Amino acid sequence: MALSTPRLLVRFLGGRNLLYGGAPFPSEQTPGDSKTRNEETDKVMSSGDSNPAATPTPCVDIQGDGRWMSLHNHFVSNSKDKEPDVLFVGDSLVQLLHQFEVWRELFSPLHALNFGVGGDETQHVLWRLSNGELAHISPKVVVLWVGTHNHSHTAEQICGGIMAIVQLIKDKLPKAYTLVLGVLPRGKMPNPLRERNAQVNKLVKDAVSSLPHASLLNVDPGFVHSDGSISHQDLYDFLHLTPQGYQAVCQPLHAHLKGLLEKQAEN
Amino acid sequence: MTNIPRLTSAVASCLRIAISWMSGDEMNPAAVAQAVEDIQGDDRWMSQHTRFVQECKDAEPEVLFIGDSMVQLMQQYEIWRELFSPLHALNFGIGGDTTCNVLWRLQNGELDNIGPKVTVVWVGTNNHEHSAEQVAGGILAIAQLLTSRLPKTKVVVLGLLARGEWPNPLREKNVAVNSFLRSWLPRLGHTQFLDVGAGFVHSDETISTRDMFDFLHLTAAGYRAIAKPLIDLLLQILEGTPEEKRASLV
């Protein structure tokens, strides 16, 4: 996906407006107008062309046992005979949630389905949702938790990927509400990935603030202690949640979800 | 210029090559100790290793589990508290580890100050760069290291499970690894092989998400199935040690 020289120049000069001549933005577009520049950035970042994190991409089977595609196919066929009110979709943090008691306690009663796949980045989730996982269901709420595994992308690109998923859900399920969960801190001590994840959350929060059908929920109950450390009792490998960690995350999430579902029922 | 230094170093090289051939190190990349590089940027592998080394200072485990995510995840399920904690078991599993990574950890502190009666080894499914024979050689090297560093321990090597929803090359590879282990491990003293994979592959050759939620990692039900033969063997070994027998006679 090489950029032509003119596009490269435009990138460098920050004149992204030139790429989207026909975009429906306010007519006064000056370099100093940071709001329109952010809108332009958002458009670039959530459009597939320029942002790999927002380009639907299936996982390539490097290992040789086809597990990713098997899981995707399972989710598609699973969705044909289920009528979930809530759909959880995302990476290993979603997937592992399904294995612990907390799922049966809190989310099964809400008629929830779990489409989490370990290791998934935003572009993988985007592909899955574009290729059948939303075809046969109409959940009232979609809980989206993804972004921590996007290792080759910037915070802006990851945000763009998440926003592309939010848009896709809106297109396919016009009545659904999307609850984006904030990406958790990771690593035992402070590190660049914590900063990146915090930045992703900030950018997504801003991006959804104007949307009636989506919001960001911070589910970090305070995993980072005063000395900057994270405990293995909460994140057993400083990334994935223990059952105790899930309880701390899911109690408030469950309460919030119930509130959302009640609101959806009223409308 | 004398030829003697050259001759001596040539003999030394030959000896070195002969020794490494026999112990498989230079010929087998799966038996070379190697730490995991922090590519992602949050240094989690080293943090986990450091925690395990610290645990060695504080704990007196009777049973030590070492390996990859198959070991690590077990500790997150109820079954660990039910069946293995009561045996004073420590869990030194790290997701993604290969035989090389486990070897490095064992050589760099994770065996210091402890004297478990049994060490359970479960690793090999992540050795994607290596052949079945190499993987088995790596596991053998781990068993050898354990028996030499912990003379009192009995080593139990768990067979690699099938993986993937349908038949695929990795299933065949894991079967081959197990086959090598079955014939090699008995030659080492104090070491045995335990196959816990029975029943996971159904008659239609599929694996169910009820047992492996992603066709690789076990569910609670999956762990329950493997725990039965494992706990039976562990109890047999623990109850059968001379110290236990003497203590029960008093």
Side-chain angles (χ1 to χ4, degrees), chain B residues 115-156:
Chain B
K117 296 199 177 93
V118 190
T119 306
V120 181
V121 179
W122 207 8
V123 68
T125 200
N126 296 323
N127 280 59
H128 295 296
E129 312 288 300
H130 306 135
S131 68
E133 191 169 3
Q134 288 172 330
V135 177
I139 296 169
L140 187 71
I142 291 168
Q144 280 170 325
L145 177 69
L146 287 167
T147 51
S148 69
R149 283 286 311 270
L150 304 171
K152 298 207 177 95
T153 204
K154 298 268 188 290
V155 177
V156 174

Side-chain angles (χ1 to χ4, degrees), chain A residues 71-91:
Chain A
L71 278 172
H72 167 66
N73 291 336
H74 253 256
F75 294 155
V76 174
S77 63
N78 249 4
S79 64
K80 287 183 183 149
D81 52 18
K82 301 259 177 24
E83 286 174 11
D85 286 335
V86 184
L87 174 69
F88 280 74
V89 69
D91 57 28

